[in-house]
Amino acid sequence: MSATSWISRKVAYLFPLDRKGLLVMDAAGSLQTPAGSGGGATAGPASERPTRERLAASRRHREEAMSPRMLRLVLDELKATIDPRISEVEGGRRAQVLIERYAGATVARRRDMWLLMSEMFTADPDKVKSAQAKFAAAVGTPDEAAAEVQYRRATVSPRRRLLQRFSVLPEGIRFLVDLRAEMQPYLKKDRRLQALDVEMEYMFSTWFDVGFLELQRISWDSPASLVEKLIKYEAVHDIRSWADVKNRLDSDRRCYGFFHPRLPGEPLIFVEVALIDHMADSITPLLDEQAAASDLGKATTAIFYSISNTQNGLRGVSFGDSLIKRVVETLSAEFPRLRHFATLSPIPGLRSWLTQNAARMLELTPEKERAELGRAVGFEPPSAAHVLQALDKAESLEARPVLRRWLLHCAAHYLGRELVEGKPADPVARFHLGNGARVERLNWMGDPSPKGIKQSFGLMVNYLYDLKRLDRQRDQLAEGKIAVAPSIEDMQF
């Protein structure tokens, strides 16, 4: 039986087909969903039947995307894709047709497929329990290694084999990355999907190991399609025009990305670098399209001013540490005069954190400074509400040094002492400090854009990558202490 006839016979229940085996489309060219099928954009109600109960049922509840019969048929075909009795070629054909059918499915029906992959392809619990007992009994004996191998094999789920079946296809990696990205918004409200998500993260960590990634420079001479992706994926400072992107790719700039051979022309992460003769304290001149290019002969400092991940489906797979190291090595070889490697980074969590912790920060503020702060905002003693209201008037902060100083103290405390589950509270700080950098300097009105004001009252921060101290500072962070420059230490409460 051919792959097409096989899938048409069974998986036609996943998506509506006409008599010729083609997807049923409406007048607008969209996939037609049978009345009452629940195949709309909604991913599912807040309360619903467990998947196993649906599989054992005879009738579909009104809000469910697939009927029990359809669900069972799709499960059978997913299992048939990894049937050990078929060849790799036939398994690949079946997986290919499943990908094509999935592309035409509604979100609700895709979600049913995710649930099947997550819940119905688990390791055999009896085999796991038996292998675990044998391994425990063999510890310390000559049979320990063999028992460990058997235990590891028992814990490998059929789900992994299913993912591998998809991955070998030419577009299989792209399919899986997009599938996981689409699934992300539903993970918090449906824990049943977590098994599939974690399995995919584990597999991606192997498939996207940095040893398989290629560092490429992105320049104005790169293919237009690649430059367009740079514009699309820029997540830190929005690219406003072609003149803007050309400025970021000028002679005194460098842009590098990591690429995977199975996703050609698609950067997984990219970094934008400015080569200048000082540590930048404001993003404005770096983004000034009219500014003349810097003299590369005088450049002593590489400023990493934007790092953007492009694939939401690769969340949890870390590239940043390796990317920065590779870029530093590349720049050092091209420009031997470079001595300093630092970032000019946003502080995206500052405003929301301070909104919740202003009262605590006021308690930590010395009494004399608190009294000065009260006089500055017009209320003594000042409350959290009074101070936050005054901070909202960004245009007046320059002329109110007391309020400005207090905000800098709070920012230094936030970046240098606030930990959540042992990691820096700010997401950007978590990335750079986790790579071994240190908090070097706070920059007043480093980003006066509406986005910068909204996120961090306009503040930006430099993280310094001292190549001789990266390992030591990473170890220091693991012990719960954040590496900061003396000036930042002095600013903390």
Side-chain angles (χ1 to χ4, degrees):
M1 180 181 295
S2 70
T4 302
S5 60
W6 171 85
I7 205 76
S8 295
R9 186 187 71 177
K10 299 281 190 174
V11 187
Y13 294 103
L14 179 57
F15 316 111
L17 304 176
D18 62 18
R19 293 181 179 179
K20 295 181 180 179
L22 301 175
L23 290 172
V24 179
M25 313 297 284
D26 61 20
S30 301
L31 180 68
Q32 183 176 335
T33 302
S37 69
T42 302
S47 177
E48 56 189 56
R49 289 192 294 178
T51 305
R52 293 182 187 277
E53 182 180 328
R54 290 176 60 193
L55 285 165
S58 59
R59 294 192 177 187
R60 173 181 56 82
H61 285 181
R62 185 172 184 178
E63 70 278 2
E64 293 171 348
M66 291 190 203
S67 69
R69 180 168 177 256
M70 292 168 64
L71 208 61
R72 289 192 292 268
L73 286 167
V74 173
L75 176 59
D76 287 344
E77 301 319 318
L78 285 168
K79 289 180 177 179
T81 304
I82 55 172
D83 188 332
R85 296 170 297 180
I86 65 172
S87 68
E88 292 289 326
V89 173
E90 177 61 19
R93 287 175 181 167
R94 295 182 179 189
Q96 177 64 50
V97 180
L98 278 172
I99 289 177
E100 294 169 0
R101 298 302 191 196
Y102 180 93
T106 60
V107 174
R109 292 186 176 192
R110 290 181 179 186
R111 178 173 171 272
D112 274 348
M113 193 168 175
W114 305 338
L115 289 170
L116 290 173
M117 295 170 68
S118 190
E119 294 187 279
M120 308 310 298
F121 288 82
T122 59
D124 186 319
D126 293 331
K127 290 182 179 179
V128 172
K129 185 176 181 180
S130 174
Q132 184 179 32
K134 290 178 180 178
F135 175 53
V139 172
T141 74
D143 296 327
E144 179 178 350
E148 180 186 358
V149 170
Q150 293 303 315
Y151 175 58
R152 289 181 180 274
R153 287 176 176 171
T155 57
V156 174
S157 70
R159 187 187 308 110
R160 187 174 304 178
R161 178 61 178 147
L162 184 61
L163 296 175
Q164 290 171 332
R165 184 70 86 189
F166 285 119
S167 72
V168 299
L169 299 173
E171 72 276 28
I173 294 291
R174 174 79 277 168
F175 165 72
L176 291 174
V177 170
D178 289 345
L179 184 154
R180 185 167 183 252
E182 186 178 16
M183 192 170 63
Q184 292 302 303
Y186 305 107
L187 291 174
K188 287 186 178 180
K189 50 189 176 183
D190 195 340
R191 292 180 297 175
R192 296 174 296 173
L193 295 171
Q194 289 182 1
L196 175 59
D197 181 69
V198 171
E199 189 92 69
M200 295 183 83
E201 181 181 335
Y202 169 78
M203 299 297 283
F204 289 164
S205 296
T206 301
W207 297 338
F208 289 88
D209 183 271
V210 293
F212 300 123
L213 304 183
E214 180 183 355
L215 183 71
Q216 294 181 19
R217 181 182 170 188
I218 304 172
S219 70
W220 186 246
D221 295 325
S222 296
S225 60
L226 183 53
V227 177
E228 287 173 353
K229 286 172 182 173
L230 184 69
I231 298 172
K232 174 184 176 182
Y233 291 128
E234 166 60 53
V236 184
H237 304 291
D238 293 341
I239 297 177
R240 300 160 301 211
S241 64
W242 281 101
D244 187 0
V245 73
K246 188 174 184 180
N247 173 59
R248 301 188 195 204
L249 300 175
D250 208 345
S251 60
D252 61 339
R253 304 297 177 88
R254 292 294 183 270
C255 180
Y256 297 96
F258 263 156
F259 293 79
H260 191 278
R262 296 293 297 278
L263 296 175
E266 189 79 22
L268 307 180
I269 183 174
F270 60 84
V271 58
E272 297 169 56
V273 188
L275 303 173
I276 53 181
D277 60 0
H278 63 284
M279 187 175 294
D281 59 4
S282 172
I283 194 63
T284 302
L286 298 185
L287 300 183
D288 183 359
E289 300 167 19
Q290 305 303 319
S294 302
D295 184 351
L296 289 177
K298 297 180 180 179
T300 59
T301 306
I303 296 293
F304 300 83
Y305 64 92
S306 179
I307 300 177
S308 299
N309 287 289
T310 69
Q311 307 297 316
N312 194 36
L314 295 178
R315 178 177 296 179
V317 182
S318 178
F319 310 116
D321 182 12
S322 299
L323 175 68
I324 290 177
K325 286 182 178 178
R326 294 270 293 275
V327 169
V328 167
E329 292 171 358
T330 302
L331 290 174
S332 297
E334 186 178 359
F335 303 102
R337 288 174 56 90
L338 289 178
R339 294 290 180 270
H340 307 293
F341 300 90
T343 77
L344 180 61
S345 300
I347 317 174
L350 178 60
R351 181 184 282 269
S352 61
W353 171 82
L354 188 56
T355 300
Q356 298 173 17
N357 293 276
R360 178 162 65 93
M361 291 297 98
L362 284 172
E363 291 176 3
L364 294 175
T365 304
E367 185 175 347
K368 181 180 178 181
E369 289 187 33
R370 191 161 60 245
E372 292 176 349
L373 189 62
R375 289 192 290 273
V377 300
F379 294 92
E380 296 186 60
S383 69
H386 296 144
V387 176
L388 291 172
Q389 184 177 15
L391 288 174
D392 266 335
K393 302 173 183 177
E395 68 281 354
S396 67
L397 293 181
E398 195 70 40
R400 305 168 83 176
V402 174
L403 193 58
R404 169 178 167 171
R405 185 170 63 249
W406 186 80
L407 177 58
L408 287 169
H409 284 316
C410 291
H413 181 97
Y414 172 61
L415 293 174
R417 293 190 178 173
E418 287 294 298
L419 297 170
V420 177
E421 298 181 353
K423 297 180 180 180
D426 188 79
V428 175
R430 195 177 311 136
F431 173 81
H432 290 295
L433 297 173
N435 290 341
R438 78 173 185 182
V439 184
E440 186 67 12
R441 186 178 69 185
L442 281 166
N443 301 299
W444 180 258
M445 282 297 157
D447 183 4
S449 70
K451 182 179 180 180
I453 297 296
K454 182 178 180 180
Q455 288 185 336
S456 60
F457 308 96
L459 295 182
M460 295 192 79
V461 59
N462 299 117
Y463 296 103
L464 179 67
Y465 278 83
D466 185 335
L467 304 185
K468 297 179 180 179
R469 298 183 179 182
L470 296 183
D471 291 337
R472 186 195 319 167
Q473 291 172 171
R474 190 185 292 109
D475 292 342
Q476 185 177 316
L477 181 62
E479 297 172 359
K481 182 172 176 56
I482 295 173
V484 299
S487 60
I488 300 295
E489 184 77 39
D490 292 342
M491 270 195 271
Q492 295 172 349
F493 289 125

